């Protein structure tokens, strides 16, 4: 966890508010380990550009937007079982990026019914996978949390039309969804409804009267990633156009093969492109990987993620308006109702961060050297050359 001095220096030089440097996410498999090591080795910074306001009203508004108003009946009550903190937890964000957005949901009937078999067919038609099933319970895995909530609401409506009260809950794992259903009945009672988490809080939709949706279907939310190489002319002058083509081709191939992205309007030899993804977490992951890959090849990118091509492009262009001391390699995206960005620091910036975080004696020595050098130069009447001490100190810090 970065100390306050590091964050203050970063905020002063970038004019942005840093939430985290690296990640606190604890990996449990090889893929997670690979990404956590990249976050921490490159000291990737999560910035807050526009703070999200997280409360019950915004949670419900975002839920209706993401699940689709047409997939939620008019008559319901919204319960806050556990309030979310009004802040973004970076490790939860990293978890979603690495592990994806697939979610499990649990369905419970009050007594055995053939309805459970009808539910199975509906879930499978919705591209869900049945994990466990009994006469009164089932656990299924869906492609996303929003799909899980949407399908659960549909099943609850069918149950109510048959006079059967269905209880459901969504969780990261099957066990988590069952535990959430237990908490739901303890907090709300055995009323038909669904419990879920959003941004660290726990919530529920409870349905008091029968309903039948006209048609439940996924919300067609597009996820676009706009990528543009920063100062491509300078990069070509230094490395040649062939290196630019190799760099952009490498990013393009990774996006298509590893992140399920579809490129639109890519021109070989160009320095920008737009790609479309099936989910936002894949778009963020692609932007991060592109930024890491570019940095490894001596380049920086500006990237934006949005629901339209224009929105993605506008968010990428925001990088130009940030009054930083040097151009920032940023991946800008929306979270809740705020704007956030991942920054991949340059090697020089990482060295300074490491000095502040882990080499305090060396840092004190560097400052002492600069002070003494500047004092001696002033005594000798050569104060104009004091900057040489700063340069020597920086060279020492980088080399050592």
């Amino acid at each position: 966890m970065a100390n306050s001095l590091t964050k203050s220096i970063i905020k002063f030089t970038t004019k942005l508010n840093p939430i985290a440097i690296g990640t606190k996410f604890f990996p449990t498999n090889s893929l997670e380990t690979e990404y956590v090591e990249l976050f921490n080795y490159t000291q990737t910074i999560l910035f807050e550009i526009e703070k999200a306001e997280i409360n019950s009203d915004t949670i419900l508004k975002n839920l209706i937007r993401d699940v689709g108003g047409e997939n939620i009946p008019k008559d319901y009550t919204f319960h806050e079982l556990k309030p979310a903190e009004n802040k973004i937890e970076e490790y939860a964000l990293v978890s979603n990026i690495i592990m994806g957005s697939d979610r499990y949901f649990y369905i419970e009937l009050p007594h055995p019914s053939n309805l459970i078999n009808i539910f199975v067919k509906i879930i499978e038609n919705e591209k869900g996978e049945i994990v466990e099933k009994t006469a009164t319970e089932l656990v299924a895995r869906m492609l996303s949390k929003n799909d899980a909530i949407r399908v659960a609401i549909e099943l609850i409506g069918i149950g109510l039309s048959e006079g059967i009260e269905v209880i459901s809950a969504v969780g990261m794992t099957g066990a988590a969804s069952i535990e959430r259903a237990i908490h739901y009945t303890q907090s709300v009672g055995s009323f038909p409804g669904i419990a879920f988490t959003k941004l660290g809080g726990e919530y529920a939709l409870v349905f008091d009267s029968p309903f039948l949706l006209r048609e439940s279907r996924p919300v067609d939310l597009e996820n676009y990633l706009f990528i543009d190489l920063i100062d491509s002319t300078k990069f070509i002058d230094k490395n040649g156009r062939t290196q630019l083509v190799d760099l952009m081709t490498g990013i393009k191939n990774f996006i298509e093969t590893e992140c399920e992205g579809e490129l639109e309007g890519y021109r070989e030899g160009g320095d920008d492109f737009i790609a479309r993804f099936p989910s936002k977490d894949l778009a963020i992951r692609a932007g991060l990987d592109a930024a890491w890959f570019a940095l490894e090849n001596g380049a920086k990118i500006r990237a934006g993620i949005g629901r339209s091509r224009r929105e993605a492009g506008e968010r990428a262009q925001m990088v130009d308006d940030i009054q930083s001391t040097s151009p920032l390699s940023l991946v800008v995206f929306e979270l809740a109702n705020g704007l956030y960005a991942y920054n991949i620091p340059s090697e020089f910036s990482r060295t300074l961060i490491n000095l502040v975080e882990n080499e305090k004696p060396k840092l004190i020595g560097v400052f002492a050297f600069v002070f003494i050098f500047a004092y001696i130069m002033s005594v000798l009447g050569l104060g104009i050359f004091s900057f040489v001490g700063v340069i020597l100190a920086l060279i020492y810090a980088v080399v050592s």
Side-chain angles (χ1 to χ4, degrees), residues 15-179:
K15 316 304 180 194
L16 295 174
N17 180 37
I19 295 178
I21 301 171
T23 179
K24 296 187 292 181
F25 180 76
F26 184 79
T28 57
N29 58 46
S30 58
L31 177 64
E32 293 174 8
T33 299
E34 176 186 349
Y35 270 86
V36 168
E37 287 179 350
L38 276 170
F39 270 102
N40 291 328
Y41 173 73
T42 61
Q43 297 186 2
T44 298
I45 304 170
L46 176 62
F47 281 120
E48 185 175 69
I49 299 177
E50 294 179 10
K51 179 176 171 50
E53 288 300 322
I54 302 172
N55 53 54
S56 291
D57 291 337
T58 58
I59 292 288
L60 179 58
K61 182 178 178 180
N62 290 341
L63 174 71
I64 295 172
R65 178 198 66 190
D66 295 339
V67 175
E70 68 279 9
N71 295 318
I72 301 176
K74 293 182 179 180
D75 295 326
Y76 65 85
T77 54
F78 181 65
H79 293 253
E80 182 181 76
L81 308 182
K82 173 188 171 186
E85 293 187 52
N86 193 15
K87 66 177 183 179
I88 297 299
E89 295 289 356
E90 67 80 21
Y91 54 84
L93 177 59
V94 171
S95 170
N96 191 55
I97 294 169
I98 299 174
M99 299 174 67
S101 58
D102 61 315
R103 291 294 185 271
Y104 292 80
F105 78 104
Y106 170 73
I107 289 287
E108 180 183 2
L109 307 182
H111 51 75
S113 169
N114 185 55
L115 203 59
I116 204 82
N117 297 316
I118 297 174
F119 287 175
V120 167
K121 291 180 181 179
I122 293 173
I123 291 168
E124 290 176 341
N125 286 338
E126 292 280 0
K127 300 180 181 179
E129 176 188 348
I130 304 300
V131 178
E132 297 286 347
K133 171 183 171 293
T134 67
T136 59
E137 300 173 297
L138 66 81
V139 175
R141 184 173 66 190
M142 301 299 294
L143 296 178
S144 72
K145 178 188 291 187
N146 293 330
D147 275 338
I149 294 173
R150 176 181 60 83
V151 173
I153 292 173
E154 180 184 5
L155 301 186
I156 291 168
I158 294 172
L160 282 170
S161 68
E162 297 291 328
I164 298 175
E165 297 183 335
V166 177
I167 291 174
S168 181
V170 178
M172 180 71 75
T173 65
S177 64
I178 295 171
E179 184 178 16

Side-chain angles (χ1 to χ4, degrees), residues 334-345:
E334 181 187 54
L335 193 57
N337 56 359
L339 279 180
Y340 295 80
Y342 275 117
N343 165 239
I344 317 300

Side-chain angles (χ1 to χ4, degrees), residues 378-395:
S378 298
V379 170
L380 297 176
L382 301 173
I384 193 174
F385 295 106
S386 297
F387 71 92
V388 175
V390 177
I391 295 174
L392 292 174
L394 290 175
I395 293 173

Side-chain angles (χ1 to χ4, degrees), residues 304-318:
I305 294 161
R307 295 188 184 87
S308 68
R309 298 166 184 84
R310 181 183 180 86
E311 188 174 67
E314 287 175 341
R315 287 177 180 166
Q317 289 180 356
M318 290 178 65

